[in-house]
Amino acid sequence: REKSKKLDLCETRRKELLDGVSNFASKALERLRDGETAVFSSAGDNNNNNSGSPSTGLRSSPIQDEPLGLENILDLYGKHVENGGLRAAHGGHMAYVPSNGVFPAAMGDFLADTLCTYAGRSTESPGGVAMNNMLLEWMAEVFGYPDGFQGNLTSGGSSATVIAMATAR
């Protein structure tokens, strides 16, 4: 309980973290606007997180009991995650449907994640289920499906594939 208590932040600290992450994301989105859809590194540079060397890339900052400062975390994230690899949030990325690169949708994800909204059953969240149903009805209309169409929103491609396979059976 004592360790987990550190995660229960006061309003001032939550605001500091939110402002810091928001500023970082805003700058990253501006860089993304004019950047490439993918930036891949060679095996020998400092951005290769899978080189096996504990002192290379992101692995040079292992998970520890004491938290790093937000500035350090965002620096590591910027150098080793945001700055290399596939940029699915880029408007030119067309390889697959990414989880989210649309800022207003990310704000919706932020609310759902922060408030831990569970929308799987109407007894737990009548409003969340109603919102899901409204979205499904809207999507059915956009794609021209007939009245009475039913669907399901999943957390990702794996869940969607399992549901599709079970439905096809």
Side-chain angles (χ1 to χ4, degrees):
R1 174 74 180 133
E2 195 60 38
K3 283 187 177 184
S4 66
K5 207 173 189 181
K6 292 180 183 179
L7 298 174
D8 190 16
L9 305 176
C10 69
E11 183 178 359
T12 302
R13 183 64 179 138
R14 288 192 310 262
K15 178 97 170 91
E16 288 171 4
L17 293 174
L18 186 58
D19 288 348
V21 171
S22 178
N23 289 335
F24 176 88
S26 183
K27 290 174 187 171
L29 287 171
E30 285 305 309
R31 288 191 299 274
L32 187 63
R33 182 186 305 250
D34 298 323
E36 299 293 322
T37 58
V39 178
F40 293 103
S41 57
S42 65
D45 72 15
N46 287 336
N47 200 29
N48 184 354
N49 295 314
N50 296 316
S51 68
S53 170
S55 62
T56 303
L58 191 57
R59 295 185 181 274
S60 65
S61 181
I63 296 171
Q64 55 199 24
D65 285 340
E66 292 304 313
L68 290 174
L70 181 60
E71 196 171 306
N72 290 344
I73 293 168
L74 294 177
D75 183 57
L76 285 167
Y77 187 88
K79 287 180 183 172
H80 304 294
V81 179
E82 183 257 328
N83 197 32
L86 186 63
R87 294 181 171 154
H90 190 284
H93 173 75
M94 302 299 270
Y96 60 89
V97 178
S99 60
N100 201 333
V102 179
F103 192 77
M107 295 296 92
D109 283 348
F110 171 78
L111 282 174
D113 290 345
T114 302
L115 302 176
C116 201
T117 305
Y118 175 72
R121 290 180 25 170
S122 60
T123 53
E124 281 85 1
S125 179
V129 172
M131 189 183 307
N132 281 348
N133 290 339
M134 289 171 63
L135 178 59
L136 287 169
E137 291 162 6
W138 173 76
M139 289 174 60
E141 184 180 319
V142 166
F143 288 103
Y145 289 122
D147 287 343
F149 166 82
Q150 293 184 358
N152 183 30
L153 298 174
T154 67
S155 59
S158 297
S159 298
T161 300
V162 169
I163 291 169
M165 290 173 65
T167 303
R169 250 187 346 172

